[in-house]
Amino acid sequence: MSVSGGSRYVVGIDLGTTNSVCSYIDTTANGPAEFLGITQRISEQDWAARVVLPSFLYLPGAHELPPGSLSLPWDTPDYLVGEFARVQGARVPGRLVSSAKSWLCHPYVERTAAILPWDALADVSKVSPVEASARYLAHMRDSWNHEMGHPLQVQDLVITVPASFNEIARELTVAAAHQAGLERFRLLEEPQAAYYSWIASREKTWAKELKGVRRVLICDVGGGTTDFTMIEVKPGRPKPKLVRVAVGDHLMLGGDNMDLALAHHLEAVMTAREDGTSIRLDARQWGILLQECRTAKERLLGTDGPHELTVTIPGTGSRLLSGMLQATLTRDDATRLVLDGFFPQTDKTDLPLRGRRAGLTEVGLPYVTDPAVPRHLAAFIAQHGGEPPDGVLFNGAALTPPAVRQRLLDVLGRWRGEPVTELPNPWLDKAVAHGAAYFGLVLRGRGVRIGGGTGRAYYMKVEEEQNICLVSADMGEGDEATVREPEMVLKLGQPVSFPVVCSALRTADRPGDVVRFGADEPIDALPPLRTVLKGEGETSIELQSRVSEIGTLELYCVRRDGAGQWRLQFDMRGEPLAEGIELPVRRESLAQAREQVVRVFQTKPSKLGDVKPRNLLSTLEDHLKLRREEWPTPILREIWEALDRVRKRRRSTDQYEAAWFNAAGFCMRPGFGYPLDEWRMDRLWDVFSHWLQWFKETPVRMEWWVMWRRVAAGLKDEQQARLFADVSPLLLPGRKHLKMFTRPHPTNAELAEIWRMVASLEKLPVADRTQLGALALERAQKRGSTVQDFWVLARLGARHPFGASLHYALPPGAVTPWVETLIESAWADRHAAGFALAQMARCTGDRVRDLEDGVRHRVAARMQQESVDEDLVRRVLQPVAVEAREQVQMLGDSLPVGLRLAKG
């Protein structure tokens, strides 16, 4: 993994959101860094070498392109990468993967799952964001190997990432590089790479040019992210020292957002009605328009660009949009929309606006709420001392228009009260790769190095809101630290999990410091660190941290007796877990409650006395002096672990089994959201393989279905499919019944609970959920339908799944017929019907998930006619964040106290 000296070339790779670039230095020639001409398809007929590789992946249909259209000098893959991929993707957006780098940061999707293209056509074999990134790197590898004759795999590489990338996004970038066969590399933050490029281009004069400059802001606005970094220039001999002193938060804001703004402008022009209103393009038209706007923006705002361009997209068969749709975009329009929309004149006290706005997730990505870069910059400066910089280095293709850079210079100068020095960057779109190659020389002891460490401090969360610092912000590559206090004792033979958070503001904390964060202090929660400590019994451990040579964080559990150590790995699904929760009971009382569980199930039925299994939870309420609805997640999970110890005893009698299912489901709901829940769910799933002992008893079967409904969100895809296979014959016609279900046949109450459970299986195939939804709609329309019938529809057709990744939401085409039928039907319960419609027709801002505007407006009108809660109506008309009370309704049960399940 580490870079070692000795290769002929040092190579810098900018793996960009919109464009990727490769630069290199031949260490045998002592010359400057050069840019690699990356061979790529530019049309159906030709390939050519270009310095820039557009970061686009096109997945063509079987007979879409003529033979030879995919061939390259070294291979004939079944996909396109680069310029022709972007061109063809503008024609057929449902086959185009773009902005893969932004998806590596998306907290509400499975980033290692095949989810792209987000708006894929039905026959497209999707890829994960990691796979797409790996294909870009592999293409550059193959082009290098073809052109240079020295395998890229054995050169010393530097791959850049945004400074604001968290550990998960960095680890996923590392995974993509490994998938592309690259092992000898380092990670470098993009703003620092841009600064290294500036130094490399003026090695003899940079110190003189910084005379009088104390703080340099690197303002990097790329295709998908905005990154701020502050470099302090400290006096030194013979030259000043450069230290990175601040790193900004992750801002999903860049050129992609500007493309969206231009597309919204043209959409309104193209679809304008005589009454002054406009309509919404469908997902396919919008995808084409978005690609056309990206191209138009680059041409109009480029050097010597045209004064105007005509943008044309295909229409539909309707009277309004028949034929082709077109509109003219002028350079003035583009400049106004970009300059005033994203770089307005603001004061240094103007901070980012909060709340949601339309268009926030147009392509499935959770962009920042406020598009104004200066307001985010003001927040960054305020968080890091409040003093505006006296120097600035611009970077990123989004800052190519001179008017944009001048606007930022004017804003910074006004905040400071005097002009700010600009460090010129001749390669706004290529400086990162250029500087990365120079950094390869720095690693060999040549050139100027920027100090400052990781820029973030990392903490492990412990009880009573205390946080132990594991990594200080000034630790650099190769630095290590050991945390010995407080002493930690862990059980062996089972997984362990450590909640981790990080801060870019706390630069003074040292490893081992125990701190409390302020109520409004910006802290980023990371997915938990996990490992399995093999062995039996308990062991006393200490924690060791290390910043690896490639720039990633490594954490280890080390036994104090020196008998072993274990690497802690991040949960790569990337979902932050519950906050630290203070226990409302003494630890001794909780330990006694756990033992009470064990006693109840290990006692022979004839000797149980007053504590019957069916009264277990009530008994624990009395013991803990706390109603079960008030038990926080740590108490629930500890009681569950006691239940797990005695799970075999549940088979003793039907009362034991029903009570065990009831308590286990209650304590494990909703199946995810707390450290080690994945391990617990694997343990619970083992119960499924042994099925029910007393399956002929209706109360036992009822509690069985309730348990799986409560924890369904924590089941893996294959587990949900297995559970559904067992019950589908009870719900879907033509499916063979399991022998155990023939006698006795489920009661109506049991079938109702089975429906609720199946609706909670959000990872089932689209075809199964669509068939279930059609049947659920029939049930909801019948006389005597219940609130639960509407709830089932809400879960099946929700635009925001409760516990699954967003890509599991059913396509609008599957849900729209249900919604239209409900609009025209009589409602037995207006509140239940309104809730179901609000979930199925919810406006997310993502055209791939949203129902058509006309359908949603009809839904809102019917809801208003029925006097449905205005909050529900608003969710249909505009993007509104998912609230905690709404999550409770979607779960169909109470959420454990203190559990917060984040959703976009």
Side-chain angles (χ1 to χ4, degrees):
M1 294 272 297
S2 64
V3 172
S4 58
S7 69
R8 174 174 174 177
Y9 297 97
V10 290
V11 183
I13 294 177
D14 174 11
L15 183 61
T17 305
T18 307
N19 294 298
S20 296
V21 181
C22 179
S23 180
Y24 64 93
I25 297 174
D26 186 344
T27 60
T28 66
N30 293 321
E34 301 181 50
F35 294 105
L36 174 71
I38 304 172
T39 301
Q40 56 195 286
R41 296 295 312 192
I42 59 172
S43 68
E44 293 179 358
Q45 296 79 28
D46 299 307
W47 64 61
R50 300 280 192 267
V51 169
V52 172
L53 176 74
S55 302
F56 294 87
L57 170 65
Y58 188 78
L59 307 170
H63 306 291
E64 177 184 348
L65 296 172
S69 299
L70 305 179
S71 65
L72 292 163
W74 55 84
D75 194 11
T76 304
D78 59 357
Y79 57 86
L80 290 167
V81 166
E83 186 171 321
F84 187 36
R86 179 176 61 180
V87 171
Q88 190 65 13
R91 301 168 183 157
V92 191
R95 296 186 177 278
L96 182 69
V97 176
S98 61
S99 303
K101 182 174 174 181
S102 293
W103 287 93
L104 291 178
C105 309
H106 198 319
Y108 308 128
V109 299
E110 295 178 22
R111 288 165 270 185
T112 56
I115 61 174
L116 301 179
W118 188 244
D119 56 348
L121 298 176
D123 64 333
V124 173
S125 297
K126 296 183 180 182
V127 299
S128 71
V130 175
E131 170 67 22
S133 302
R135 291 191 185 186
Y136 304 147
L137 290 169
H139 186 99
M140 287 186 277
R141 175 203 66 200
D142 292 340
S143 180
W144 170 282
N145 292 348
H146 176 74
E147 298 292 332
M148 305 297 289
H150 298 267
L152 186 65
Q153 296 92 315
V154 300
Q155 309 306 318
D156 292 344
L157 310 179
V158 176
I159 300 174
T160 62
V161 294
S164 56
F165 255 21
N166 66 21
E167 281 304 306
I168 297 302
R170 291 174 190 243
E171 292 281 2
L172 292 172
T173 304
V174 169
H178 288 167
Q179 194 169 323
L182 305 178
E183 299 289 341
R184 296 164 55 94
F185 63 89
R186 284 283 298 272
L187 298 183
L188 176 66
E189 295 172 2
E190 290 166 4
Q192 287 196 55
Y195 202 92
Y196 278 124
S197 176
W198 181 79
I199 293 173
S201 64
R202 45 188 31 82
E203 281 193 280
K204 296 182 179 179
T205 63
W206 70 265
K208 184 181 297 183
E209 292 184 48
L210 288 178
K211 187 175 182 180
V213 176
R214 294 189 305 109
R215 287 163 62 89
V216 176
L217 166 72
I218 306 173
C219 180
D220 186 350
V221 186
T225 57
T226 290
D227 251 348
F228 301 129
T229 293
M230 197 76 77
I231 303 289
E232 192 167 300
V233 184
K234 297 187 175 183
R237 293 185 178 182
K239 294 181 178 180
K241 306 294 183 184
L242 304 176
V243 180
R244 191 270 308 281
V245 294
V247 176
D249 295 331
H250 179 71
L251 301 174
M252 198 171 285
L253 172 64
D256 287 350
N257 304 75
M258 299 170 196
D259 300 335
L260 284 168
L262 297 177
H264 277 294
H265 168 75
L266 290 183
E267 179 185 41
V269 175
M270 288 179 173
T271 66
R273 290 169 164 168
E274 293 183 359
D275 62 1
T277 63
S278 61
I279 66 171
R280 208 177 192 214
L281 299 174
D282 63 30
R284 173 177 171 271
Q285 292 172 310
W286 178 256
I288 295 173
L289 178 59
L290 199 56
Q291 299 302 327
E292 291 294 329
C293 285
R294 179 178 285 121
T295 302
K297 178 194 68 178
E298 293 173 354
R299 291 186 59 190
L300 289 171
L301 298 183
T303 305
D304 300 324
H307 291 289
E308 64 179 38
L309 287 171
T310 299
V311 176
T312 304
I313 65 171
T316 68
S318 69
R319 292 181 58 189
L320 176 64
L321 298 179
S322 59
M324 304 299 287
L325 300 174
Q326 65 179 27
T328 298
L329 184 65
T330 68
R331 182 188 298 180
D332 289 343
D333 287 337
T335 301
R336 172 180 54 81
L337 289 167
V338 170
L339 195 64
D340 296 337
F342 293 87
F343 304 95
Q345 290 277 10
T346 61
D347 293 329
K348 63 181 178 181
T349 56
D350 293 340
L351 301 181
L353 303 176
R354 296 185 176 183
R356 295 178 68 87
R357 62 185 178 89
L360 191 59
T361 56
E362 283 286 6
V363 288
L365 289 165
Y367 295 121
V368 296
T369 301
D370 191 334
V373 172
R375 284 197 280 265
H376 292 287
L377 179 54
F380 169 72
I381 292 172
Q383 289 173 350
H384 296 280
E387 180 185 356
D390 49 4
V392 62
L393 173 67
F394 294 120
N395 187 63
L399 298 181
T400 297
V404 172
R405 301 196 300 277
Q406 187 58 53
R407 171 64 61 84
L408 286 173
L409 283 171
D410 293 343
V411 168
L412 287 169
R414 188 158 43 81
W415 291 356
R416 185 172 178 82
E418 58 183 4
V420 175
T421 300
E422 179 183 5
L423 310 186
N425 181 359
W427 296 316
L428 288 165
D429 58 343
K430 300 188 286 291
V432 166
H434 181 261
Y438 174 82
F439 182 66
L441 288 183
V442 171
L443 293 174
R444 298 188 180 191
R446 297 167 54 183
V448 180
R449 182 155 194 176
I450 300 170
T454 66
R456 286 179 173 80
Y458 292 81
Y459 305 81
M460 184 180 74
K461 303 193 75 173
V462 293
E463 295 178 14
E464 298 177 358
E465 300 182 356
Q466 293 183 333
N467 304 272
I468 302 175
C469 181
L470 304 176
V471 177
S472 58
D474 62 352
M475 286 175 61
E477 291 86 352
D479 288 347
E480 299 180 355
T482 300
V483 176
R484 296 184 171 87
E485 300 296 337
E487 181 178 355
M488 286 171 280
V489 178
L490 298 179
K491 293 181 180 180
L492 300 177
Q494 66 181 46
V496 292
S497 180
F498 299 86
V500 176
V501 297
C502 67
S503 169
L505 300 184
R506 303 185 68 97
T507 57
D509 294 338
R510 314 305 306 164
D513 289 352
V514 178
V515 302
R516 289 176 179 265
F517 299 130
D520 298 325
E521 193 167 349
I523 302 297
D524 294 327
L526 295 174
L529 289 161
R530 291 175 172 164
T531 191
V532 178
L533 306 183
K534 297 180 180 180
E536 297 180 355
E538 296 181 338
T539 186
S540 178
I541 62 111
E542 56 193 32
L543 294 172
Q544 287 186 355
S545 60
R546 180 174 180 270
V547 181
S548 73
E549 284 79 3
I550 67 168
T552 58
L553 177 63
E554 296 178 357
L555 289 168
Y556 298 86
C557 281
V558 181
R559 289 179 61 152
R560 288 179 182 260
D561 60 11
Q565 68 175 17
W566 298 266
R567 173 78 183 273
L568 297 173
Q569 300 282 1
F570 280 107
D571 176 4
M572 297 306 288
R573 291 178 303 173
E575 184 165 0
L577 298 183
E579 299 292 325
I581 304 168
E582 186 174 354
L583 293 181
V585 299
R586 297 174 58 192
R587 298 293 306 185
E588 295 81 358
S589 298
L590 181 54
Q592 292 168 6
R594 287 166 54 99
E595 288 306 312
Q596 178 71 62
V597 173
V598 174
R599 280 197 303 271
V600 167
F601 280 94
Q602 287 187 342
T603 304
K604 291 183 178 181
S606 61
K607 298 181 179 180
L608 276 174
D610 295 332
V611 184
K612 304 293 184 184
R614 65 174 179 271
N615 299 328
L616 174 61
L617 294 184
S618 298
T619 301
L620 295 180
E621 286 181 323
D622 294 339
H623 189 83
L624 295 171
K625 295 180 175 56
L626 200 64
R627 295 173 58 247
R628 70 189 74 175
E629 291 78 13
E630 298 173 349
W631 296 351
T633 314
I635 288 180
L636 292 167
R637 296 310 191 253
E638 290 211 28
I639 293 174
W640 182 91
E641 289 171 15
L643 289 163
D644 184 53
R645 288 171 54 190
V646 295
R647 58 179 174 161
K648 291 182 180 180
R649 290 286 299 167
R650 78 179 192 280
R651 305 172 75 90
S652 299
T653 71
D654 58 327
Q655 290 189 28
Y656 273 70
E657 192 159 45
W660 195 94
F661 292 152
N662 176 272
F666 183 80
C667 292
M668 264 309 299
R669 72 192 200 285
F672 72 105
Y674 195 71
L676 286 179
D677 273 354
E678 184 176 4
W679 170 76
R680 295 186 186 96
M681 286 301 297
D682 285 341
R683 297 280 296 174
L684 188 59
W685 183 249
D686 188 56
V687 172
F688 180 85
S689 64
H690 294 93
W691 222 72
L692 299 82
Q693 177 70 26
W694 303 90
F695 69 89
K696 291 185 179 181
E697 303 298 327
T698 300
V700 174
R701 295 197 309 272
M702 282 290 291
E703 294 296 353
W704 171 261
W705 305 129
V706 170
M707 179 180 73
W708 292 118
R709 186 257 300 166
R710 280 173 158 166
V711 304
L715 294 172
K716 301 180 176 69
D717 300 43
E718 62 274 15
Q719 293 168 343
Q720 292 196 5
R722 179 70 180 84
L723 184 57
F724 179 62
D726 275 5
V727 300
S728 60
L730 300 173
L731 309 177
L732 303 180
R735 303 218 178 180
K736 187 176 180 180
H737 283 259
L738 295 175
K739 183 178 180 180
M740 61 190 67
F741 280 139
T742 58
R743 283 191 309 271
H745 192 76
T747 64
N748 288 337
E750 191 178 348
L751 281 173
E753 192 56 53
I754 291 172
W755 267 106
R756 295 184 71 202
M757 181 201 69
V758 168
S760 302
L761 303 178
E762 296 176 324
K763 301 175 184 178
L764 294 180
V766 169
D768 287 335
R769 285 185 289 150
T770 302
Q771 189 176 6
L772 287 168
L775 293 174
L777 180 62
E778 292 180 11
R779 291 169 57 89
Q781 289 182 285
K782 289 180 179 178
R783 178 179 295 183
S785 61
T786 67
V787 171
Q788 290 185 357
D789 294 322
F790 288 102
W791 182 90
V792 167
L793 271 177
R795 283 299 298 266
L796 288 168
R799 303 297 81 209
H800 268 299
F802 168 78
S805 167
L806 295 180
H807 75 277
Y808 285 104
L810 284 178
V815 178
T816 297
W818 309 347
V819 170
E820 291 180 327
T821 299
L822 278 185
I823 294 174
E824 303 299 330
S825 301
W827 295 356
D829 187 312
R830 62 187 176 91
H831 299 294
F835 176 74
L837 283 170
Q839 296 305 313
M840 294 188 290
R842 185 188 199 113
C843 179
T844 68
D846 177 3
R847 294 181 194 233
V848 174
R849 286 182 289 149
D850 281 352
L851 275 56
E852 292 183 359
D853 283 3
V855 175
R856 290 189 294 103
H857 284 288
R858 288 172 56 206
V859 169
R862 176 65 193 277
M863 293 170 73
Q864 289 170 333
Q865 178 184 338
E866 298 288 345
S867 299
V868 172
D869 188 340
E870 281 299 321
D871 283 345
L872 293 178
V873 177
R874 189 168 64 254
R875 293 172 198 169
V876 174
L877 296 176
Q878 64 189 56
V880 177
V882 179
E883 300 173 351
R885 62 171 181 166
E886 192 176 357
Q887 290 177 330
V888 169
Q889 286 179 283
M890 287 292 285
L891 177 61
D893 212 321
S894 61
L895 275 176
V897 173
L899 198 63
R900 297 291 181 267
L901 305 176
K903 278 290 176 187

